[in-house]
C-alpha cells in the first residue's frame, strides 16, 4: 500500500481545508482542490482522498466499505483514522452513482439533539459537476444559509435516490448529515444539512 | 554565563500542532453546517492566558495560510495592546503579511467590533468571544442550557428581555445583544455593540466566533439570516449618534467612542481606527447602515 509522500501535511492540508471551508460556507459553489500528486486506489478519487487527508486523523473514524478494501487501507495508512461500522463513523465515503448508497446514507449517524455536530460527514463521489451543461445529469437547485437567493449546479454520476435519502436524513434540523460532493475532475461542492435541495433531470 | 535557550527552537507553522488544528478545522466545518450552534472544541494551551483572545487565535491559526493577509483589531482599534501583541505573535508564527487596511485583509480577527467597512466574499472574520452562551444569564447550568438549545426552548430569554423592558423602559442589553440565527438557534454575537448586530445578517463574509476559555466555537455563514430578538411592539434599535461628528475627522454615521476631556466637556471619535483613517483621507468606504424604526 502506497504511503503518500508528496502530500505536505502542513501546507497542502491547510490549502485544502480552506477550499472545504469556502465550499461549506457557500453551498453549491464549485471549488477545486489545489493539485497535489497523490495516487489513491480506484474507485477512491483524488478529491475524496484530498478531503480525507485534510480532515482525518487518528481521532476520527470513517467508513469506506462500499469503496472496497484498498480504499479503506489507503485512508487508514495515510491518515491513521480508524475504520468502523457505518453507524459509528464520523466520515462516510460513498459512491454517488450507486443506488445502494441511499441505504448507507440512511444508516449514517445524524447526531443527537444536545450534540448535533456528531452527525456524520458524507463524502459523496460523483463523476462531474458544472454550473450549467451536463446532459444526463441532475440539475440541483439549492437554497439556505450561505446562498444569497438560490443557486444551481449540474451533477453527473449522482443518483436521485441518494439525494432523496440525504433530504430524508436532514429533515429534522439540527440533526442530520453534511455532504461533501467530490467529482472525478477535482471539483467539490458542499451540501450542509441546512441546504434545501430540489432536483430535475437535465 | 547561562545562555537563554528557551526561545531558540522553532515552532510549527501557525504555532498549533497539526493534529489539533485538524480537530479545530473539523469543528469549524460542523459549526458552519449548524449556524449558531456552539460546537465544543479542544481549546489547546496557548502562550497567553485563556480569556485574552485564545479562542480567536485557535480559529485564526487553524484557518491561516502563508498567503493570507492578517488584520487584528481590539474594540475597533489596530493599535491597542491586545491587538498589537496578538498580531506580533501571529506574524512571528506564520510570517504572514499583516495590515491595518480592512479591505486588503483576507483574515480579520476582532475583539468586540465588526469593522464598519463592508466585508467581502473573500474575507473571513474571527471574533474573540468571552461568553458564548446567550442563556447563561438566565440559566447557570451548562447541561440545562444545552437541553434548552436542543428543544429551542427560549422562553426564559424572552422573559428576561420583557423584564428588562418593564423595569427600565427599554431592553437594556447593550453589547452582545442576543440574536436568532437562521430562525433556529439563539446566539450571542460576542460583545459587539448593537450598532454591528444588523451587519451580521446576510453578509457576504464568513463569521467565526470562538471562545477559548469556554472551549466552544460557533459560526454565522455568509448570507444567513441573523435577527436580533425583539417584540412586535418593542423593536431592536442601534445606538444613535444624533448630530454628533467625529472630533478627529469630522465624519459621522459610524460607531463613536465617547471621550471625556474634563469634568464638563466630552468629544466623540470614530471607533474603527482604519475607518477613521480613511474618512480623514476623504475616502469613505462602503458601509451598511441600519435605520432605527420610528
Amino acid at each position: 500500500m502506497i504511503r503518500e509522500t508528496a502530500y505536505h501535511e502542513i501546507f497542502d492540508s491547510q490549502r485544502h481545508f480552506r477550499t472545504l471551508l469556502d465550499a461549506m460556507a457557500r453551498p453549491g459553489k464549485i471549488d477545486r482542490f489545489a493539485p497535489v500528486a497523490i495516487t489513491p486506489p480506484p474507485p477512491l478519487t483524488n478529491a475524496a482522498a484530498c478531503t480525507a487527508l485534510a480532515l482525518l486523523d487518528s481521532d476520527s473514524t470513517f467508513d469506506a466499505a462500499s469503496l472496497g478494501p484498498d480504499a479503506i487501507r489507503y485512508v487508514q495508512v495515510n491518515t491513521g483514522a480508524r475504520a468502523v461500522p457505518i453507524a459509528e463513523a464520523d466520515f462516510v465515503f460513498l459512491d454517488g452513482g450507486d443506488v445502494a448508497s441511499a441505504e448507507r446514507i440512511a444508516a449514517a449517524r445524524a447526531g443527537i439533539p444536545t450534540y448535533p455536530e456528531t452527525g456524520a460527514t458524507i463524502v459523496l463521489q460523483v463523476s462531474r459537476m458544472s454550473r450549467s451543461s451536463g446532459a444526463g445529469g441532475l440539475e440541483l437547485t439549492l437554497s439556505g444559509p450561505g446562498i444569497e437567493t438560490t443557486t444551481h449546479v449540474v451533477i453527473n454520476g449522482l443518483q436521485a435516490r441518494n439525494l432523496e435519502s440525504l433530504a430524508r436524513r436532514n429533515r429534522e434540523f439540527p440533526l442530520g448529515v453534511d455532504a461533501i460532493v467530490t467529482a472525478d475532475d477535482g471539483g467539490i461542492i458542499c451540501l450542509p444539512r441546512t441546504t434545501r435541495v430540489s432536483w430535475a433531470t437535465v | 554565563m547561562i545562555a537563554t535557550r528557551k526561545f531558540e527552537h522553532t515552532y510549527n507553522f501557525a504555532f498549533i500542532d497539526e493534529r489539533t488544528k485538524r480537530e479545530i478545522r473539523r469543528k469549524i466545518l460542523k459549526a458552519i453546517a449548524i449556524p449558531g450552534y456552539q460546537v465544543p472544541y479542544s481549546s489547546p494551551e496557548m502562550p497567553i492566558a485563556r480569556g485574552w483572545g485564545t479562542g480567536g487565535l485557535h480559529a485564526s491559526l487553524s484557518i491561516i495560510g502563508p498567503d493570507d493577509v492578517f488584520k487584528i483589531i481590539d474594540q475597533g482599534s489596530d493599535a491597542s495592546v491586545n491587538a498589537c501583541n496578538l498580531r506580533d505573535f501571529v506574524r512571528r508564527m506564520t510570517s504572514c503579511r499583516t495590515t491595518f487596511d480592512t479591505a486588503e485583509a483576507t483574515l480579520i480577527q476582532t475583539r468586540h467590533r465588526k469593522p464598519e467597512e463592508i466585508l467581502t466574499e473573500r474575507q473571513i472574520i474571527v471574533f474573540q468571544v468571552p461568553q458564548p452562551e446567550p442563556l447563561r444569564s438566565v440559566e447557570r447550568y451548562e447541561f440545562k442550557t444545552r437541553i434548552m438549545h436542543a428543544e429551542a426552548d427560549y422562553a426564559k430569554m424572552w422573559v428576561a428581555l420583557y423584564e428588562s423592558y418593564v423595569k427600565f423602559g427599554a431592553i437594556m442589553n447593550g453589547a452582545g445583544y442576543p440574536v436568532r440565527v437562521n430562525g433556529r438557534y439563539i446566539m450571542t454575537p460576542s460583545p459587539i455593540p448593537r450598532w454591528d448586530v444588523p451587519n451580521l445578517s446576510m453578509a457576504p463574509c464568513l463569521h467565526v466566533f470562538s471562545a477559548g476559555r469556554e472551549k466552544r466555537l460557533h459560526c454565522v455563514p455568509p448570507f444567513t439570516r441573523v435577527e436580533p430578538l425583539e417584540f412586535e411592539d418593542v423593536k431592536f434599535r442601534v445606538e444613535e449618534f444624533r448630530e454628533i461628528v467625529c472630533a478627529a475627522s469630522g465624519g459621522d454615521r459610524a460607531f463613536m467612542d465617547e471621550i471625556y476631556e474634563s469634568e464638563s466637556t466630552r468629544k466623540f471619535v470614530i471607533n474603527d481606527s482604519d475607518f477613521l483613517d480613511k474618512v480623514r483621507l476623504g475616502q469613505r468606504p462602503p458601509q451598511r447602515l441600519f435605520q432605527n424604526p420610528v
Side-chain angles (χ1 to χ4, degrees), chain A residues 14 18 55 58 117 178, chain B residues 19 26 30 37 63 68:
Chain A
Q14 189 275 337
R18 281 294 278 274
L55 297 180
S58 57
E117 83 278 12
D178 310 303
Chain B
R19 208 185 146 95
R26 288 195 295 262
K30 284 297 177 198
Y37 167 74
I63 292 171
D68 273 308

Side-chain angles (χ1 to χ4, degrees), chain B residues 42-86:
Chain B
S42 57
S43 188
E45 201 76 35
M46 296 300 280
I48 53 166
R50 288 210 167 84
W52 293 86
T54 47
L57 279 181
H58 294 145
S60 294
L61 294 174
S62 303
I63 292 171
I64 202 165
D67 303 330
D68 273 308
V69 182
F70 186 68
K71 172 185 163 85
I72 178 164
I73 53 171
D74 170 8
Q75 303 258 13
S77 170
D78 288 290
S80 81
V81 177
N82 189 247
C84 288
N85 284 303
L86 298 192

Side-chain angles (χ1 to χ4, degrees), chain A residues 105-117:
Chain A
I105 291 169
R109 215 170 52 190
I112 55 172
T114 40
Y115 292 92
E117 83 278 12

Side-chain angles (χ1 to χ4, degrees), chain A residues 94-96 101 105 122-126 158 162 166 180-182:
Chain A
L94 293 174
D95 179 2
S101 296
I105 291 169
I122 295 193
V123 181
L124 202 58
Q125 300 194 148
V126 300
L158 177 61
N162 296 336
L166 209 54
I180 298 170
V181 185
T182 64

Side-chain angles (χ1 to χ4, degrees), chain B residues 218-290:
Chain B
H218 52 278
C219 286
V220 174
F223 302 115
T224 301
R225 268 183 306 127
V226 176
E227 298 146 324
L229 299 188
E230 58 183 10
F231 297 99
E232 264 174 43
D233 50 348
V234 180
K235 294 292 184 192
F236 168 83
R237 303 177 75 84
V238 299
E239 294 86 352
E240 288 191 50
F241 302 100
R242 230 177 275 154
E243 288 159 34
I244 285 171
V245 290
C246 170
S249 67
D252 60 353
R253 288 167 291 135
F255 189 77
M256 300 277 182
D257 275 335
E258 196 174 359
I259 297 167
Y260 286 86
E261 295 187 295
S262 68
E263 274 177 34
S264 55
T265 60
R266 61 176 186 173
K267 62 178 184 182
F268 289 86
V269 174
I270 290 176
N271 171 267
D272 182 334
S273 61
D274 178 55
F275 191 78
L276 172 62
D277 289 344
K278 286 178 179 167
V279 170
R280 263 182 176 157
L281 293 171
Q283 328 152 343
R284 198 180 166 98
Q287 257 177 305
R288 206 168 80 172
L289 293 167
F290 180 78

Side-chain angles (χ1 to χ4, degrees), chain A residues 142-161:
Chain A
L142 312 173
S143 62
I147 305 164
E148 197 168 4
T149 49
T150 58
T151 185
H152 302 273
V153 56
V154 179
I155 298 182
N156 290 76
L158 177 61
Q159 295 285 344
R161 279 276 303 280

